[in-house]
Amino acid sequence: MSSSKSDIIFRALNHFRIEIPSWGFANTGTRFGKFLQPAAATTTEEKFSDAGEVHSLTGVCPTIALHVLWDLPDGIESVVDIRNFSKRFGVQPGSINPNLFQDQEYKHGSFGNPDPDVRARALQHTKDSIEIARRLHSRDISLWFADGSSYPGTANIRQRKTWFEDALKQVHECLSPEQRLLVEYKPFEPAVYHTDIADWGMALHLARCAGPQAKVLVDTGHHYLSQNIEQIVAWLLSEQMLGGFHFNDRRYADDDLTVGSVDPYQVFRIFHEILYYEWEAKRKPDIAYMIDQSHNLKGKVEETIQTVTVAQQLFAKAALVDHGALSQAQAKCDLVRAESLLQDAFNTDVRPVIQQWRDTKGLPRDPLKALVESGYMERITKERSSRNLNSVSSYA
Ligand code: RM4
Ligand code: MN
Ligand code: MN
């Protein structure tokens, strides 16, 4: 590879950071049950330990996303513990995710619940989450709602929209100037008839209603099959409303599979739209790259490292697109040339340059191999297996 191409990859990787989710290290399952892993994290401390291991081997995951109920069981009181874990394991708390979907009260929704007491409770939990984020110096509060209905005629869709608008405005008022609110959308599941924030247009509307610090979060798994996600990304960029991503891959629905395992070209095309925008606008958009995956078949630390390295490869490939040539080809409607510019970049083997980049940062050339050699997995398997194997895996 030419040295100018290597330089492009080095520069791209120097700026690329990706946040890993605490829940990616814990036992999770399908609708039908959990498959317990002996090395799964059973406490927040263990999740930080695993995240620290991933960061020390890859060098690009300095933050961990937290779900308030799962990782801060005592709410604001748990902030002290999080600070300690963060210091001990060398990873900072990242986005803070309120849990507005799991308590019994939320059976019929949170911000969209017809019961005003439940709506008030959801609002309070979100405000507490902002306070937690403030104390942890976390910038982003990331909102995902399970709200919706499963049978036609059972919910007042317009009324619920208004409740969402009002609640999000109130939430926005509590933000510090540097904080952001990220609004995630999802077309279905758990609700199967309507979801209150079903797509990017609804998320965009609500983010705008909430206020200037609210942006849209794109979870790649939250789209209908064959939807053109990179177009959504391009539109949100153009509107300055793209706040972040939850990356994962999918085959059918919100499968939470490893990034790039089914369709690596899609992730490449998303990165390409971002880097093409950067080239044209001459500014770097402020986007939080995050992973949202549930690793219930592969080993969790292993799969997280695999995800991070694949994301780096796809980002590096996207950086190789020749933007000047592309813009000329597009202007002339030179379709084959334009398409080939993407394909050539995508088909470049960037792995040797990424290894060189790791060398210069003092990182292991092959983070997965380094994990195996580190003895970390043996140690945590020994420490955690009895706790894991005694936990409940059935769903009924
Ligand atoms: C949802 C969504 C959210 C995640 C929850 C637990 O499907 O992707 O981001 O926090 O799951
Ligand atoms: Mn998500
Ligand atoms: Mn999801």
Side-chain angles (χ1 to χ4, degrees):
M1 190 180 297
S2 69
S3 71
S4 68
K5 279 192 181 173
S6 300
D7 288 351
I8 292 174
I9 294 177
F10 266 58
R11 271 201 301 278
L13 293 180
N14 283 343
H15 290 287
F16 186 72
R17 295 289 175 278
I18 193 156
E19 181 164 309
I20 47 185
S22 70
W23 53 98
F25 297 115
N27 278 316
T28 47
T30 66
R31 269 196 314 132
F32 307 103
K34 277 190 200 174
F35 293 108
L36 304 172
Q37 294 192 14
T42 58
T43 60
T44 310
E45 181 177 357
E46 290 174 354
K47 294 175 196 170
F48 267 85
S49 167
D50 291 353
E53 184 68 12
V54 172
H55 182 46
S56 75
L57 296 173
T58 61
V60 294
C61 305
T63 57
I64 176 173
L66 301 172
H67 252 290
V68 173
L69 206 64
W70 303 334
D71 300 317
L72 295 105
D74 297 321
I76 293 177
E77 315 265 283
S78 297
V79 160
V80 190
D81 294 334
I82 299 289
R83 281 194 197 125
N84 288 336
F85 301 150
S86 167
K87 246 189 239 134
R88 236 172 85 205
F89 298 107
V91 273
Q92 303 300 313
S95 63
I96 298 298
N97 297 251
N99 288 56
L100 296 162
F101 46 84
Q102 164 186 346
D103 297 350
Q104 294 301 311
E105 287 78 0
Y106 298 138
K107 180 173 176 182
H108 298 297
S110 59
F111 285 11
N113 197 303
D115 181 341
D117 291 342
V118 179
R119 292 203 300 281
R121 182 194 160 117
L123 189 61
Q124 191 52 52
H125 176 68
T126 312
K127 289 181 177 174
D128 291 346
S129 302
I130 294 176
E131 185 53 33
I132 288 171
R134 196 177 354 259
R135 293 192 191 190
L136 290 173
H137 305 292
S138 285
R139 183 177 62 148
D140 292 338
I141 293 87
S142 193
L143 300 177
W144 173 70
F145 298 91
D147 288 55
S149 65
S150 286
Y151 296 95
T154 58
N156 184 332
I157 293 173
R158 277 175 294 106
Q159 170 70 82
R160 291 169 72 106
K161 170 174 170 284
T162 314
W163 284 329
F164 266 88
E165 291 166 352
D166 291 347
L168 287 169
K169 270 184 209 152
Q170 292 184 58
V171 168
H172 194 281
E173 277 168 19
C174 301
L175 296 174
S176 304
E178 72 289 352
Q179 287 187 310
R180 306 192 306 171
L181 206 59
L182 302 181
V183 182
E184 185 171 352
Y185 57 92
K186 181 170 179 174
F188 65 90
E189 198 202 22
V192 290
Y193 170 65
H194 106 281
T195 291
D196 284 295
I197 313 182
D199 65 25
W200 72 278
M202 299 178 201
L204 176 66
H205 166 80
L206 288 172
R208 283 194 170 136
C209 262
Q213 289 161 244
K215 306 282 169 202
V216 176
L217 184 142
V218 176
D219 182 317
T220 46
H222 293 190
H223 299 88
Y224 290 115
L225 280 176
S226 89
Q227 198 161 355
N228 185 336
I229 302 175
E230 61 270 25
Q231 182 184 6
I232 295 171
V233 168
W235 275 58
L236 289 172
L237 281 166
S238 146
E239 292 295 313
Q240 322 253 326
M241 287 300 283
L242 180 62
F245 285 93
H246 274 176
F247 281 114
N248 48 59
D249 211 338
R250 55 81 71 79
R251 177 82 180 131
Y252 293 104
D254 189 23
D255 305 335
D256 286 344
L257 301 177
T258 317
V259 162
S261 56
V262 178
D263 186 359
Y265 197 39
Q266 178 178 73
V267 187
F268 166 89
R269 296 191 310 262
I270 290 173
F271 284 145
H272 162 64
E273 284 305 329
I274 295 168
L275 296 173
Y276 196 25
Y277 168 88
E278 251 181 61
W279 175 80
E280 253 174 26
K282 296 186 181 38
R283 59 175 285 272
K284 273 201 189 312
D286 191 357
I287 303 170
Y289 293 127
M290 300 178 272
I291 296 164
D292 184 3
Q293 289 176 183
S294 170
H295 313 133
N296 52 46
L297 298 172
K298 298 179 191 166
K300 294 161 199 298
V301 180
E302 211 184 344
E303 185 176 1
T304 308
I305 291 177
Q306 184 188 30
T307 303
V308 172
T309 56
V310 168
Q312 279 183 307
Q313 287 165 23
L314 294 166
F315 193 74
K317 284 169 186 270
L320 289 180
V321 174
D322 182 337
H323 297 124
L326 181 67
S327 118
Q328 280 174 18
Q330 288 177 344
K332 284 193 276 176
C333 294
D334 189 344
L335 308 190
V336 173
R337 169 95 177 118
E339 189 187 22
S340 303
L341 284 163
L342 261 67
Q343 289 169 336
D344 290 346
F346 181 68
N347 288 319
T348 309
D349 186 1
V350 293
R351 289 171 299 182
V353 181
I354 297 181
Q355 290 188 343
Q356 287 166 19
W357 178 82
R358 290 190 183 123
D359 278 346
T360 64
K361 306 282 167 198
L363 294 163
R365 294 194 131 211
D366 180 345
L368 269 180
K369 194 163 148 254
L371 174 72
V372 173
E373 287 165 0
S374 69
Y376 182 77
M377 293 311 299
E378 280 88 351
R379 176 164 71 77
I380 62 170
T381 305
K382 219 196 258 156
E383 283 170 11
R384 302 174 186 175
S385 65
S386 63
R387 260 173 293 143
N388 275 311
L389 301 178
N390 289 332
S391 72
V392 181
S393 70
S394 108
Y395 102 127

